[in-house]
Amino acid sequence: MSAIKSYDHPTNANQFNQDQDRTHWHDSSLWFIREKRDRMSKSLPEWETLRSCASQIKAHTVSKLADYLEEFEKNATARGVQVHWAKDAEEHNQIVLEILRKHQAKRIVKSKSMLTEECHLNPWLEKHGIEVVDTDLGERIVQLRQEPPSHIVMPAIHLKKEDVSNTFHEHLQTEKGNNDPNYLTESARQHLRQKFCQADVGITGVNFAIAETGGFVVCTNEGNADLGVSLPKVHIACMGIEKLIPKADHLSIFLRLLARSATGQPITTYSSHFHGPVEGGELHIVLVDNGRSKIMNSDDYRNSLKCIRCGACMNTCPVYRRSGGHSYAATVPGPIGSILNPLRDAKHHKTLPFACTLCGSCSDVCPVKINLHEQLLTLRTEVKNQKQLPMSKTLPMRIASYVFQRPKLYAWLGGIGKFFLRTMPRFLIYNPLNPWGRHREMPEAPPESFRQQYAQRAKKKSDDR
Amino acid sequence: MRVALFVPCYIDQLYPRVAMATLDLLEQLGVDVEFPAAQTCCGQPMLNSGCDTDALPLAERFVEIFSGYDAIVCPSGSCVSMVKNHYDHLLHENANYDTLRTQIFELCEFLVDVLKIDSLPVKFPYKVGLHSSCHGLRELRLASDSELNAPEFNKPKQLLALLDGVEFAELKRKDECCGFGGTFAVSEEAVSCTMGRDRIADHLQAGTQVLTAGDMSCLMHLAGLIKREKQPIRVMHIAEILAGYEVPQ
Ligand code: SF4
């Protein structure tokens, strides 16, 4: 994994920003999608109603998740689906491996699934001598480069076509320097076709599972999920337990919201429905918890389980756009990732809730109305409670609070501070310890504070009287 | 009507002109304004840093000092939002707070919604670039944002449009964050500065002569970059413009 160097977001973001041209290019590619999403959402007069409905349905489902999961299991089993339960990533991987072993499967094709990324399924299977090929084009590109995806919907959005051309030249022997997207896509298709034909088992993710029917839906733009599961007789679908919706009737709301929020398309090119195994084949569903029920029990963060993984919050996030997905050092980056990851592992991901200006754009863009930026603010307190904030951050706040509780001390210190700011030589103010001043001028300190001016003004008024 | 002026700590210390402009403006409009001298800081820096226990005594103080007024007015959307939207994390079952949160207004909000002013005797023959500060925009809803599919409105712009000779710079990204974000500006310095520069570039292409906003903190960050890079843009808080103050040279 070449991309994850450090868990420290500021360090990674700083590195990303060293190449300002690339940073700007990354920002504009994502902003382009965000604008497309704006146009599409504004073309639907019922957009905000759809969001409210989706949000309520998800909130309701999460509040009765155990019941709906049981209903789903019952209905899926009745359709001949084999349902498995995994409490964490390890169990999930073990279950998948056992199914593969039972069929002596050696070659797997997998369509995009953030859950299997979260569980690190690929390296686990490779360790056990199984070849896994990601069949989503973007996923395949990052897989060849041995990088994690940098975005949940557009895994290779951080790469330019030249990067893809170089990668393909190295791994698929395409022509060196040929950057033509059509040529490159065609080469990938030919290469993937072989893999589809040879595969023993197809693995997919799940976008929506329906309790009422026991079926599920996978959305792709390339049709690779369908291709992956139509030749092999065994299909394994891996899903986080929050992917459930109660009824088939609800599906239209989510399908309309998902694609428009993700890429600005009216609907994904393929929305494939699976309701049981193919004739003579097997369909397995692995239901994974991996920390989700813990989040479900928390009033502050429960809402984050509504997420349908559209990626809109990433596209809109001004910090994500200018720091890149890899800077988050997590499977799910961006605003929603900055909530989910620290909730699972506050120690490693302690900088993520702070990688945010609290601008609130994510909360307004989210199709299921997750109060993302508010949760990020609350999470900062959680990071402190878990003793993951360094003294260098907590001590100044303790001192400031002490001073602010004492107006006279505050006024006195304010005067001294302003005096120094006015009189100190430049090199003392603009030193390496002052990250404000590296690229920015400090504000000019006025001779008097407002409270001093106000007091003088009040005095003058009463003298005049 | 007893109106209290809430001057955020950094405005008190670094931008007294903004507070004075707010006071002048309100007085010009016939409002009787008091400045409670015991006020200091609302506690936002502490809460935003995760230090809720350090923010708590400041929130309690704030409610004590500002209770009993009919309205509290402040020239900073971010600080108003802290009091209005985030104190309930800290203060539980505080009856004074429940009243107070309905009485605190950001300056533009107060002028538009409470005073309902529809004219201002001020000439301002400049091309104005309005920066929509995020907390005012998305937490106080002083304007509609581009994410929601809802009717458009903009209270600060509505006020500026009352001035004689004013023109507006048309931005490509009308409501993108400037990258200040409190301690973010320091802890995530690289992203913060890139974001700020991008905002300034948008204003430059739009022909902004005077950059303004309802939050001095955003402007402090942007002005810091403008000054360092010697860009031809003047920076003023919206209160200074509305009060008819001179454009600083
Ligand atoms: S949090 Fe909302 S916007 Fe972000 S990926 Fe999930 S559903 Fe989409």
Side-chain angles (χ1 to χ4, degrees), chain A residues 57-308:
Chain A
I57 293 169
K58 276 286 183 182
H60 167 81
T61 318
V62 172
S63 75
K64 291 183 167 247
L65 195 59
D67 296 345
Y68 281 120
L69 282 168
E70 276 177 27
E71 186 185 343
F72 175 76
E73 182 184 32
K74 193 175 107 236
N75 291 329
T77 313
R79 288 175 180 276
V81 180
Q82 302 184 39
V83 179
H84 309 262
W85 299 85
K87 73 167 190 300
D88 54 21
E90 228 181 327
E91 258 187 39
H92 162 266
N93 292 350
Q94 193 63 48
I95 291 168
V96 173
L97 182 66
E98 268 160 30
I99 302 170
L100 298 181
R101 281 200 172 137
K102 195 177 96 194
H103 293 277
Q104 291 167 349
K106 283 277 165 238
R107 280 175 299 254
I108 313 301
V109 281
K110 179 159 99 15
S111 83
K112 204 153 82 54
S113 137
M114 277 299 125
L115 180 79
T116 56
E117 285 289 337
E118 175 187 319
C119 298
H120 302 291
L121 180 69
N122 286 16
W124 160 264
L125 292 182
E126 280 155 14
K127 204 174 80 192
H128 289 87
I130 292 165
E131 181 197 73
V132 203
V133 173
D134 282 316
T135 58
D136 171 272
L137 183 55
E139 284 265 310
R140 185 64 184 144
I141 297 167
V142 293
Q143 191 186 25
L144 290 172
R145 295 169 65 93
Q146 298 191 314
E147 278 177 11
S150 75
H151 188 287
I152 58 173
V153 175
M154 297 161 285
I157 188 75
H158 60 297
L159 298 172
K160 297 188 176 188
K161 48 183 199 283
E162 298 82 65
D163 304 321
V164 176
S165 171
N166 288 338
T167 308
F168 281 8
H169 171 68
E170 190 184 322
H171 296 276
L172 310 181
Q173 288 74 49
T174 55
E175 214 174 284
K176 195 171 173 58
N178 190 336
N179 299 340
D180 175 26
N182 287 329
Y183 167 73
L184 294 172
T185 314
E186 186 53 31
S187 316
R189 286 171 75 122
Q190 294 304 334
H191 154 77
L192 282 173
R193 179 140 310 173
Q194 269 175 26
K195 300 289 178 191
F196 280 126
C197 292
Q198 296 164 350
D200 306 315
V201 169
I203 297 181
T204 69
V206 168
N207 287 90
F208 303 100
I210 304 143
E212 178 193 37
T213 67
F216 63 92
V217 178
V218 181
C219 304
T220 69
N221 273 324
E222 298 161 19
N224 54 312
D226 310 66
L227 279 173
V229 298
S230 43
L231 283 179
K233 283 286 177 214
V234 183
H235 172 183
I236 307 173
C238 305
M239 69 175 254
I241 50 175
E242 83 286 12
K243 290 276 154 144
L244 214 56
I245 55 173
K247 291 179 185 303
D249 267 356
H250 298 148
L251 202 54
S252 59
I253 296 171
F254 290 98
L255 291 181
R256 296 183 79 196
L257 285 168
L258 177 67
R260 283 180 173 87
S261 299
T263 55
Q265 291 165 272
I267 193 157
T268 42
T269 316
Y270 299 88
S271 308
S272 313
H273 299 239
F274 297 94
H275 289 90
V278 289
E279 238 180 76
E282 283 178 20
L283 176 55
H284 297 263
I285 294 181
V286 191
L287 295 162
V288 185
D289 184 326
N290 207 26
R292 286 163 176 77
S293 46
K294 198 180 114 207
I295 298 177
M296 204 172 72
N297 290 327
S298 129
D299 289 339
D300 284 330
Y301 309 111
R302 185 176 304 125
N303 251 339
S304 63
L305 292 179
K306 292 179 186 169
C307 177
I308 58 172

Side-chain angles (χ1 to χ4, degrees), chain A residues 152 307-313 336 366-368 370 372:
Chain A
I152 58 173
C307 177
I308 58 172
R309 300 288 192 272
C310 69
C313 56
I336 183 66
C366 176
V368 286
I370 301 174
L372 291 153

Side-chain angles (χ1 to χ4, degrees), chain A residues 17 42 361 364 384 418, chain B residues 12-13 52 145-147 194:
Chain A
N17 275 261
K42 293 204 169 53
S361 181
D364 279 355
K384 181 223 45 179
K418 290 200 296 299
Chain B
D12 175 38
Q13 291 298 326
D52 54 344
D145 68 6
S146 53
E147 293 89 351
T194 303

